[in-house]
Structures are given as structure tokens and as C-alpha cells.
Amino acid sequence: MTKVLLNRKIAQRIANGHPWVFGNEINSIEGDPAPGDIVDVFYHDNKFAGRGYYNPKSQIAVRLLTRKKEEIND
């Protein structure tokens, strides 16, 4: 699964429950996700933050769906 690593400054907002990750808050992406793909999101220190879907054409690059490592399907 594609791994999205966040910038350090966003960690607190996401940890407090905000479900959106903006494109300028992403430090790096490991893999080549297509629009709509499910991605794993990690804090700057490599701790799991959640799982969501990716949209490179939106300012909101990842919309978190869960904070757990659970399967997301149809």
C-alpha cells in the first residue's frame, strides 16, 4: 500500500482528529497512487496516523477514513 509521510507541523491537528491532509502538508509519498486509491498516512516520526483515499487534483490530498489499520473496501 502507498505510504504518505506528513510534515512535522501537521501532526497535532491530525492527532486531534482532523480528517483532512492538504497537499502542502505532505513530506513524501512512497509509491505512485492513482486518484481514489487508499493510502496509509504516517506522522513525521513514522507512526501510523490513519488510512484514507488520495486525490492529487484536490487541495485536500488525503481524506482520512479511519485511524486503524483496517481493510477499506466497497
Side-chain angles (χ1 to χ4, degrees), residues 18-52:
H18 199 282
W20 296 350
V21 176
F22 293 95
N24 65 344
E25 298 171 331
I26 295 173
N27 184 38
S28 64
I29 299 175
E30 294 179 11
D32 188 26
D37 280 357
I38 301 298
V39 296
D40 283 342
V41 179
F42 291 84
Y43 296 112
H44 67 280
D45 59 359
N46 223 24
K47 291 183 181 172
F48 184 78
R51 189 168 278 173

Side-chain angles (χ1 to χ4, degrees), residues 14 18-21 41 49-53 62-67:
I14 297 299
H18 199 282
W20 296 350
V21 176
V41 179
R51 189 168 278 173
Y53 64 90
V62 179
R63 295 173 193 258
L64 292 175
L65 300 171
T66 183
R67 305 292 174 149

